[in-house]
Amino acid sequence: MSRAFELARAVRGTTSPNPAVGAVIARGSRIVGEGATQPPGGAHAEAMALRQAGDLAHGATMYVTLEPCDHYGRTPPCTEAIIESGITRVVVAVGDPDLRVSGRGLEQLREAGIEVSLGDGAAEGAAHYEAYVHHRRTGRPFVTAKFAASLDGRIASTSGDSRWISGPQTLRWAHQNRPLFDAMLVGVETIIVDNPQLTARPEGWSGPVPQPLRVILDSRGRTPLESRVLEHTSSSPTLIATTSAASAEWSEALASRRVNVARLPADENGRVSLASLLDLLAREHGVVSLLVEGGGEVLGSFFDQRLINKVTAVVAPMIIGGDAQTAVRGRGAERMRDVLRLTHMSVERLGADLLVTGYPGNPEHELDVRIRPAGQADVDAVDQLLASQIIERPLKCEELLTEARAGDVVIWLATSHGSRTDVQGKAQPFEDVLGVAAVKFATDRASIPCLAVRPDAPASVAERLRDSCEASASGRDAQWLTLTTSTTIGLSEEQYRSSGYRYYRRDADGSDVLIKRLHA
Amino acid sequence: MSRAFELARAVRGTTSPNPAVGAVIARGSRIVGEGATQPPGGAHAEAMALRQAGDLAHGATMYVTLEPCDHYGRTPPCTEAIIESGITRVVVAVGDPDLRVSGRGLEQLREAGIEVSLGDGAAEGAAHYEAYVHHRRTGRPFVTAKFAASLDGRIASTSGDSRWISGPQTLRWAHQNRPLFDAMLVGVETIIVDNPQLTARPEGWSGPVPQPLRVILDSRGRTPLESRVLEHTSSSPTLIATTSAASAEWSEALASRRVNVARLPADENGRVSLASLLDLLAREHGVVSLLVEGGGEVLGSFFDQRLINKVTAVVAPMIIGGDAQTAVRGRGAERMRDVLRLTHMSVERLGADLLVTGYPGNPEHELDVRIRPAGQADVDAVDQLLASQIIERPLKCEELLTEARAGDVVIWLATSHGSRTDVQGKAQPFEDVLGVAAVKFATDRASIPCLAVRPDAPASVAERLRDSCEASASGRDAQWLTLTTSTTIGLSEEQYRSSGYRYYRRDADGSDVLIKRLHA
Ligand SMILES: [Zn+2]
Ligand SMILES: [Zn+2]
């Protein structure tokens, strides 16, 4: 299967809108046929491998990176060819997310008596097909943001000089990376300031380099006619996305140079609607994967609109400071809870630079959050949590720890669990504390003297902690549960009221005490 | 020796201005005595170990992390005690940079007939004593800058919310890290906005935590009297560095709270002179290591004045964007050649965050630059270098590669060499191309059709390439060497003229052609 992926990787960037597939036919340990997806209209990987294997396919096993197709497109279905060849076993890494295929290819093979197994190489397949899967599910390109910044987030010196933030190995990597994308996008400011060619010039690439479609975001039609990005448009096509604000003369001059000018709807700021652009790229240009290279305003707009599916950031070992330009601008995140967090982050070195890769993740959906009582073993961790100011206003909680040890207080922890890949590539399990709450028992009633969650915790964490406090108070037969709004962080007074808490009295320090009847 | 360093590390933060030393006395594989430096005025590591070993020291070997002292300070010299004990062999990791000691401790021991060896554990020693060595050589504290920023360099959301950029593991690390410093510094803005305690509250620390001196940079005397940093000044002393601009009432109010107010000279912007502050900290407070934690203006000022000796930056996996605050401000680097580059960069993970550590390095002094002719094996690399736009205006150079293959052109490369630690901690050798120059031979004269260096290359690289071009032209008996200023990047016309090049003629494209006589 790893050989099949090798074959598939070698054709990345040449197959869209079809997926890059690799197929290997083996008899025991002997490979009798290999193939990879040909450019659109050409043969599929399975057909290529079968052609090479000929009669040797009879009784052999096929390893294929993606579920074989079962429908007539520009080529006949691969399932038919496999069945006819006499292959007796098919090993598939990833099921096809394409609704025309999904599961039916495997079914068809099984019905013909072929032994089918799915999932060998699934992890490798998930990475290899991330763009394809996204595209098939959403109808839009998979968008990767790329930028290179200093350790303090700058992309140029204060005078605007940007050569070179990243080192030679990173520049080489960038040219190796570009041909893997169907299209790459920059803003017109980048064209005006840097006048780049926007072509892929990788080292040691065998055969002609697949050139991504060059896309320029240019709402008002300011791309200079002498820009280098407008040259060589036959080998490296260029599309300028603009709005009705661009002049007719300008777009005619471009059309005469075989540059594709797309007039798209404008958003409320008069800028090209990015959603319309993504739809257009997928629909009319077969773009499955798009690389957004900048500048800062363009990246900011994509991030603001949550249109980025992957981030590749190069961190260069330098400090620039001052008011030098930053890598991502746009509107930005107003509150910490709006910040775009990355998951599945990995890091590698490119010479002296770091390449950091991650995927925007919604922590609410991604996190495995659990609520559990804090045990004796957690006292230090809770202590530390409070002392480290991860939780705001912790002071009122401190004394509770002593009482918790005596049994008059139960402390609940909200924790998130998972595993992270360390720099050696090994998975390391972790438990992070997201929040803490305490219930204190008195003769006839209980109180929540403290409930606090980290500001970056998912919204449901505070509610789940409150639920657990209520449950433990009920368990001790308390009739009423009280709390002071000033010592619970994460739920508003309104949220308490809407779940049955009522105004009770004003506390000594002026904050409101709420009460809820637990047993009717 | 590794046990000796363990002992030394355990007392870091408690010994300044003395170095943290560990000593182990062994007979074969059996340890008979161990010791580490006691707080100032107490015994040195060697004395502690000798005390434990007693008569067993006779004929034993002492492993000690730093050269033993040979002078009377607050304790008698360790060399005497070692000689008296009957120790027959001393193994030392690092020689003492203190001029009162340097080499004389070892000499003294050798004269007494003790076998002395130096350098076992030198690498570990260099890291352990980096602050001490800097302090002894310069008389100033070793300054470490620390900040935590998003992947796009932000330290808060656009509304100013900074809780929490870094994750819980990073916050834990920060508290473990602080006690290793003699002092930590923030600006008054941080005090006003965040009101931090600025104490070290590490998890699982055995014994009382050594609290760094808290230093506030407050040029105009704005620290509020109710700030948390002004509490607990007996266990955790506080010093406010200000200028004559601060009011007398304010400083009297602080003095009555046992806060040390130091009025220092102002710089041309009316701010506390940082150089004066560093001198004061070293001279009057025994500060060997200082941690500067922010905010952005404070870090920027330290970076602008090149007063940072080490950078520890936490990169959090998030994108914030907009006009959110950045980690390092100040005046900043105007040109790319002014940018502060970090060498010896290492990276580790703290939960989901990355901890990046590096040392500001002047590439001119740090780089091992070599000039060598490009061979057949380099053609691809040079091609790539030119195509990748690492060198500006490369187009005129391209055709030269063909001629180089034919022998009519010699291409010189400037390369830098070294090794970098990869993420697995292994040293990886590298060669980076910094510049390229070509000499083209005609019948009676030679020309330099292209000379170009990366803008971030040390200033001497262009000169060294020119020297090599001249040398190879002389070698072929050319009488004259010409060049067009528009195709050589890295040396100005003035620099050429001052080394013998004269105006010759105007080229077709309007640029000047210079000529130099090679043989008189
Ligand atoms: Zn197919
Ligand atoms: Zn000593």
Side-chain angles (χ1 to χ4, degrees):
Chain A
M1 187 59 81
S2 62
R3 174 64 188 151
F5 274 111
E6 245 175 75
L7 294 164
R9 271 195 299 272
V11 296
R12 274 197 298 181
T14 66
T15 65
S16 288
N18 295 330
V21 178
V24 170
I25 299 172
R27 300 178 70 95
S29 63
R30 187 177 148 225
I31 290 178
V32 298
E34 290 188 342
T37 313
Q38 300 303 297
H44 287 188
E46 299 92 324
M48 294 296 287
L50 288 170
R51 202 175 296 172
Q52 196 179 83
D55 289 345
L56 290 172
H58 204 90
T61 298
M62 176 184 279
Y63 296 87
V64 58
T65 56
L66 191 70
E67 178 175 356
C69 66
D70 179 41
H71 59 93
Y72 280 87
R74 288 198 266 186
T75 62
C78 288
T79 48
E80 265 181 28
I82 293 170
I83 292 164
E84 277 168 22
S85 72
I87 292 256
T88 50
R89 186 169 161 243
V90 175
V91 182
V92 173
V94 175
D96 196 313
D98 190 326
L99 288 180
R100 293 168 302 177
V101 181
S102 191
R104 286 197 292 134
L106 302 182
E107 214 172 287
Q108 198 79 7
L109 296 173
R110 284 202 184 100
E111 276 171 18
I114 294 174
E115 183 193 339
V116 175
S117 65
L118 178 70
D120 174 26
E124 195 169 2
H128 180 77
Y129 291 119
E130 61 185 12
Y132 173 70
V133 166
H134 173 86
H135 174 259
R136 284 298 186 276
R137 283 190 187 147
T138 66
R140 284 192 180 165
F142 182 84
V143 184
T144 300
K146 189 208 132 194
F147 59 85
S150 66
L151 204 43
D152 63 328
R154 315 295 187 166
I155 56 171
S157 69
T158 61
S159 66
D161 188 4
S162 62
R163 291 185 179 182
W164 301 93
I165 295 286
S166 40
Q169 269 154 284
T170 299
L171 293 169
R172 240 168 270 155
W173 164 81
H175 279 292
Q176 300 283 358
N177 190 43
R178 281 180 174 175
L180 308 182
F181 291 86
D182 301 319
M184 52 191 294
L185 180 148
V186 298
V188 66
E189 281 295 334
T190 301
I191 299 296
I192 293 170
V193 175
D194 296 339
N195 195 17
Q197 286 178 252
L198 280 192
T199 53
R201 300 180 295 279
E203 211 171 334
W205 189 277
S206 59
V209 176
Q211 291 295 341
L213 173 67
R214 300 180 284 188
V215 181
I216 303 165
L217 207 53
D218 181 6
S219 303
R220 289 182 284 136
R222 295 186 296 138
T223 301
L225 296 176
E226 65 281 7
S227 304
R228 294 169 76 189
V229 74
L230 304 181
E231 298 167 3
H232 311 294
T233 48
S234 54
S235 61
S236 195
T238 299
L239 180 147
I240 303 189
T242 189
T243 66
S244 57
S247 79
E249 298 74 42
W250 173 82
S251 63
E252 276 156 25
L254 287 169
S256 72
R257 287 162 201 235
R258 289 181 307 178
V259 171
N260 194 335
V261 177
R263 286 184 190 266
L264 291 165
D267 66 15
E268 68 279 13
N269 302 311
R271 292 188 181 148
V272 170
S273 153
L274 298 182
S276 306
L277 173 61
L278 292 180
D279 289 340
L280 175 86
L281 290 175
R283 196 179 58 237
E284 291 188 14
H285 300 273
V287 172
V288 172
S289 58
L290 171 69
L291 181 67
V292 177
E293 290 210 345
E297 284 301 334
V298 169
L299 281 168
S301 301
F302 272 90
F303 278 115
D304 285 343
Q305 297 176 44
R306 295 290 190 258
L307 293 173
I308 297 294
N309 304 113
K310 184 175 184 175
V311 175
T312 54
V314 172
V315 179
M318 54 179 73
I319 301 284
I320 297 178
D323 58 357
Q325 284 199 353
T326 48
V328 181
R329 291 191 294 281
R331 202 174 57 239
E334 195 189 334
R335 297 161 307 170
M336 280 306 290
R337 69 181 53 201
D338 306 325
V339 159
L340 190 88
R341 286 163 202 281
L342 303 180
T343 63
H344 301 89
M345 196 173 70
S346 70
V347 56
E348 59 185 287
R349 282 186 101 133
L350 292 170
D353 301 332
L354 296 179
L355 172 63
V356 179
T357 307
Y359 298 84
N362 180 336
E364 183 125 25
H365 299 129
E366 300 271 339
L367 287 183
D368 171 17
V369 177
R370 302 174 200 169
I371 309 287
R372 63 172 179 82
Q376 201 57 39
D378 296 306
V379 170
D380 275 355
V382 176
D383 235 341
Q384 175 61 26
L385 177 78
L386 300 177
S388 71
Q389 305 177 30
I390 292 177
I391 303 287
E392 297 177 56
R393 283 189 266 184
L395 297 175
K396 302 226 174 186
C397 297
E398 274 167 9
E399 67 209 41
L400 294 173
L401 290 167
T402 317
E403 301 183 48
R405 291 187 194 101
D408 300 331
V409 164
V410 169
I411 293 183
W412 292 98
L413 292 184
T415 57
S416 71
H417 300 258
S419 77
R420 295 191 184 98
T421 312
D422 67 13
V423 288
Q424 272 85 32
K426 280 201 303 190
Q428 297 287 3
F430 69 87
E431 180 189 78
D432 279 351
V433 179
L434 297 176
V436 59
V439 205
K440 186 170 180 174
F441 303 101
T443 43
D444 62 336
R445 67 185 57 181
S447 62
I448 302 179
C450 150
L451 183 155
V453 298
R454 275 169 40 186
D456 58 356
S460 62
V461 169
E463 288 171 8
R464 290 173 63 182
L465 280 170
R466 184 207 56 205
D467 291 349
S468 297
C469 289
E470 291 182 6
S472 53
S474 296
R476 292 246 196 150
D477 290 329
Q479 300 292 313
W480 299 90
L481 187 60
T482 62
L483 61 89
T484 307
T485 51
S486 67
T487 62
T488 80
I489 316 292
L491 285 170
S492 65
E493 183 161 341
E494 194 144 304
Q495 284 176 300
Y496 282 116
R497 283 178 186 267
S498 72
S499 64
Y501 289 78
R502 296 286 165 257
Y503 177 83
Y504 176 47
R505 62 176 169 81
R506 182 133 298 179
D507 208 10
D509 68 353
S511 58
D512 286 341
V513 178
L514 302 182
I515 190 162
K516 180 180 185 174
R517 174 186 283 272
L518 294 174
H519 300 285
Chain B
M1 188 60 82
S2 62
R3 174 64 188 151
F5 274 109
E6 243 175 76
L7 296 164
R9 271 194 299 273
V11 296
R12 272 197 297 181
T14 66
T15 65
S16 287
N18 296 329
V21 177
V24 170
I25 298 171
R27 300 178 71 94
S29 63
R30 187 177 148 226
I31 290 178
V32 298
E34 290 188 342
T37 314
Q38 300 302 296
H44 288 188
E46 300 91 325
M48 295 295 289
L50 288 171
R51 200 175 297 172
Q52 198 180 81
D55 289 343
L56 290 172
H58 204 88
T61 297
M62 175 182 281
Y63 297 87
V64 58
T65 56
L66 191 70
E67 177 176 355
C69 66
D70 179 43
H71 58 94
Y72 281 87
R74 287 198 268 186
T75 62
C78 289
T79 47
E80 265 181 28
I82 293 170
I83 293 165
E84 278 167 22
S85 73
I87 292 257
T88 51
R89 185 168 163 244
V90 175
V91 181
V92 174
V94 175
D96 197 313
D98 191 327
L99 288 180
R100 294 169 301 177
V101 182
S102 191
R104 288 198 290 133
L106 303 182
E107 214 172 288
Q108 197 79 7
L109 296 174
R110 284 201 184 100
E111 277 172 17
I114 295 174
E115 181 194 340
V116 174
S117 64
L118 178 70
D120 174 26
E124 194 170 3
H128 180 77
Y129 292 118
E130 62 185 10
Y132 174 70
V133 166
H134 173 86
H135 174 259
R136 283 298 185 276
R137 283 190 186 147
T138 67
R140 284 191 179 166
F142 182 84
V143 183
T144 300
K146 190 209 131 194
F147 58 85
S150 66
L151 204 42
D152 63 328
R154 315 294 187 167
I155 55 171
S157 68
T158 60
S159 66
D161 188 4
S162 62
R163 293 188 179 180
W164 299 94
I165 296 285
S166 41
Q169 269 153 284
T170 299
L171 293 169
R172 242 168 269 154
W173 164 81
H175 279 292
Q176 301 283 358
N177 191 43
R178 281 180 174 175
L180 309 182
F181 292 85
D182 301 320
M184 52 191 294
L185 179 148
V186 298
V188 65
E189 281 295 334
T190 301
I191 300 296
I192 293 170
V193 174
D194 296 339
N195 194 17
Q197 286 178 254
L198 280 192
T199 53
R201 300 180 295 279
E203 211 170 335
W205 188 280
S206 61
V209 176
Q211 292 296 342
L213 173 67
R214 301 181 284 190
V215 182
I216 303 165
L217 207 52
D218 182 5
S219 303
R220 290 181 284 137
R222 295 187 295 138
T223 301
L225 296 175
E226 66 279 9
S227 304
R228 293 169 77 188
V229 74
L230 304 181
E231 298 167 3
H232 310 295
T233 47
S234 53
S235 62
S236 194
T238 299
L239 180 148
I240 302 188
T242 190
T243 67
S244 57
S247 78
E249 298 75 43
W250 172 83
S251 63
E252 276 157 25
L254 287 168
S256 72
R257 286 160 202 235
R258 290 181 308 178
V259 171
N260 195 333
V261 177
R263 285 183 192 267
L264 290 165
D267 65 16
E268 67 279 12
N269 302 311
R271 292 187 182 148
V272 170
S273 154
L274 298 181
S276 305
L277 172 61
L278 292 180
D279 289 339
L280 175 86
L281 289 175
R283 196 178 60 235
E284 291 188 15
H285 301 272
V287 172
V288 172
S289 58
L290 171 69
L291 181 68
V292 176
E293 291 210 344
E297 284 301 333
V298 170
L299 280 168
S301 300
F302 272 89
F303 277 115
D304 285 343
Q305 297 176 44
R306 295 291 190 257
L307 292 173
I308 296 294
N309 304 113
K310 183 176 185 175
V311 175
T312 54
V314 172
V315 179
M318 55 180 73
I319 302 284
I320 297 178
D323 58 356
Q325 284 198 353
T326 47
V328 181
R329 291 190 294 281
R331 200 176 59 241
E334 194 188 335
R335 297 160 307 168
M336 281 306 290
R337 68 182 54 201
D338 307 325
V339 159
L340 190 88
R341 288 164 199 280
L342 303 180
T343 63
H344 301 89
M345 197 173 71
S346 70
V347 56
E348 59 184 286
R349 284 186 100 134
L350 291 170
D353 301 333
L354 296 179
L355 172 63
V356 178
T357 306
Y359 297 83
N362 179 338
E364 182 125 25
H365 298 130
E366 298 271 339
L367 287 184
D368 171 17
V369 177
R370 300 175 200 167
I371 309 286
R372 63 170 179 82
Q376 201 56 40
D378 296 306
V379 170
D380 276 356
V382 176
D383 235 341
Q384 175 62 27
L385 177 77
L386 299 177
S388 70
Q389 304 176 31
I390 292 177
I391 301 288
E392 296 177 56
R393 285 189 264 184
L395 299 175
K396 302 224 175 189
C397 296
E398 274 166 10
E399 68 210 40
L400 294 173
L401 290 166
T402 319
E403 302 182 48
R405 291 187 195 101
D408 300 332
V409 163
V410 169
I411 294 184
W412 292 98
L413 293 184
T415 56
S416 70
H417 299 257
S419 78
R420 296 192 182 98
T421 312
D422 66 12
V423 288
Q424 272 85 34
K426 279 200 305 191
Q428 298 287 2
F430 70 87
E431 181 190 79
D432 281 351
V433 179
L434 295 176
V436 60
V439 205
K440 188 169 178 174
F441 303 101
T443 42
D444 63 334
R445 66 184 58 179
S447 62
I448 303 179
C450 151
L451 183 155
V453 298
R454 276 170 40 186
D456 58 356
S460 62
V461 169
E463 288 170 8
R464 290 173 63 183
L465 280 170
R466 185 207 55 207
D467 292 347
S468 298
C469 289
E470 291 183 5
S472 52
S474 296
R476 293 245 196 151
D477 289 329
Q479 300 293 313
W480 300 90
L481 187 59
T482 62
L483 59 90
T484 307
T485 51
S486 67
T487 62
T488 81
I489 316 293
L491 284 171
S492 66
E493 183 161 341
E494 194 145 304
Q495 284 176 299
Y496 282 114
R497 284 179 185 266
S498 72
S499 65
Y501 289 80
R502 296 287 166 258
Y503 177 82
Y504 175 47
R505 61 176 169 82
R506 180 134 299 178
D507 209 11
D509 68 352
S511 56
D512 286 341
V513 179
L514 301 182
I515 191 163
K516 181 179 185 174
R517 175 185 283 273
L518 294 173
H519 300 284

